[in-house]
Amino acid sequence: DIQMTQSPSSLSASVGDGVTITCRASQNVAIYLNWYQQKPGKVPRLLIYDASRLQSGVPSRFSGSGSGTDFTLTISSLQPEDFATYYCQQSYSLWTFGQGTKVEVK
Amino acid sequence: QITLKESGPTLVKPTQTLTLTCTFSGFSLNTRGVGVGWIRQPPGKALEWLALIYWDDDKRYSPSLKSRLTISKDTSKNQVVLTMTNMDPVDTATYYCAHRSLEVDAFHYWGQGTLVTVAS
């Protein structure tokens, strides 16, 4: 089984800050890494797929990078609507989610 | 547009079998590459992928839950059914079904989720 580990588990930031979340796979997943955003009581929303491809309709302040085992999600300038929990997910071999990173207001 | 909706019991007793139905519209599960998956989320915890069925009836299961899960489809009804045996209180969660396309191996479209509580 491929395990996904996100860091940090939570972070505090202010509007306008740049934010980076890291996701590490227990083995090589090539570029098959997706990122989701979930707000409390809401359904997860796909932000980025194939490590760096922005899903249609997602603001350009979101970006993803990485390949192999190490990936990052970057929010260039945090907006009020971005406070949420973010999950990475590998789709290289079955599907596995990370444990989530909660982005909170500082 | 693509929509999915989960249905099933909100409360099950320990040791019982859970049966959930995902009813979808806006796509066909006969289309090459398309799949419907199930994902769950215990209250306050992370997402966990459970199972997925492809257009060609190929099935994939989470290794840790494989012995308890069965996924099936009824393309004439646009439905996917998940059964989970031997339910336990730790299985209390919101259960989602989601669409997986040929072009993007990710879950783009999700149902609203259904909360299943396991308690006696």
Side-chain angles (χ1 to χ4, degrees):
Chain A
D1 304 9
I2 300 177
Q3 310 301 318
M4 308 302 294
T5 303
Q6 291 181 231
S7 59
S9 296
S10 64
L11 64 91
S12 299
S14 302
V15 172
D17 285 350
V19 167
T20 297
I21 298 168
T22 297
C23 178
R24 175 163 289 175
S26 61
Q27 62 189 75
N28 178 24
V29 298
I31 61 163
Y32 299 106
L33 190 286
N34 310 310
W35 289 97
Y36 298 82
Q37 175 194 66
Q38 187 179 33
K39 297 179 181 179
K42 300 297 186 182
V43 174
R45 173 194 182 194
L46 177 65
L47 298 177
I48 288 170
Y49 62 96
D50 292 351
S52 61
R53 294 178 173 263
L54 202 64
Q55 178 62 33
S56 176
V58 174
S60 59
R61 62 181 180 272
F62 291 92
S63 64
S65 64
S67 65
T69 59
D70 294 313
F71 302 87
T72 58
L73 172 70
T74 300
I75 309 172
S76 60
S77 177
L78 204 62
Q79 297 302 300
E81 60 269 29
D82 300 337
F83 292 99
T85 299
Y86 294 85
Y87 294 94
C88 64
Q89 175 212 39
Q90 66 84 18
S91 57
Y92 179 82
S93 174
L94 303 179
W95 297 264
T96 315
F97 289 91
Q99 83 278 17
T101 296
K102 187 174 184 179
V103 177
E104 300 175 298
V105 177
K106 190 170 187 179
Chain B
Q1 87 268 24
I2 290 176
T3 65
L4 305 98
K5 187 173 183 179
E6 307 85 356
S7 59
T10 57
L11 178 66
V12 297
K13 297 186 188 309
T15 75
Q16 286 186 336
T17 293
L18 171 69
T19 299
L20 294 173
T21 300
C22 176
T23 303
F24 57 86
S25 64
F27 68 94
S28 170
L29 205 38
N30 284 322
T31 302
R32 182 179 179 276
V34 172
V36 172
W38 286 92
I39 300 104
R40 71 178 178 180
Q41 185 172 38
K45 296 189 177 181
L47 299 164
E48 178 183 21
W49 171 74
L50 302 176
L52 184 136
I53 189 164
Y54 286 104
W55 84 102
D56 60 355
D57 209 37
D58 192 11
K59 300 160 188 174
R60 296 286 184 264
Y61 296 101
S62 167
S64 63
L65 293 167
K66 186 174 183 178
S67 64
R68 299 175 54 205
L69 296 173
T70 303
I71 192 169
S72 61
K73 64 182 175 71
D74 185 334
T75 51
S76 66
K77 293 183 179 179
N78 280 356
Q79 290 182 335
V80 171
V81 175
L82 181 76
T83 62
M84 180 180 289
T85 60
N86 195 24
M87 293 292 285
D88 183 272
V90 300
D91 297 314
T92 294
T94 296
Y95 287 75
Y96 297 98
C97 62
H99 170 273
R100 179 262 189 201
S101 71
L102 170 63
E103 297 83 10
V104 177
D105 193 3
F107 299 112
H108 183 192
Y109 299 97
W110 295 63
Q112 63 192 22
T114 184
L115 176 62
V116 177
T117 301
V118 184
S120 53

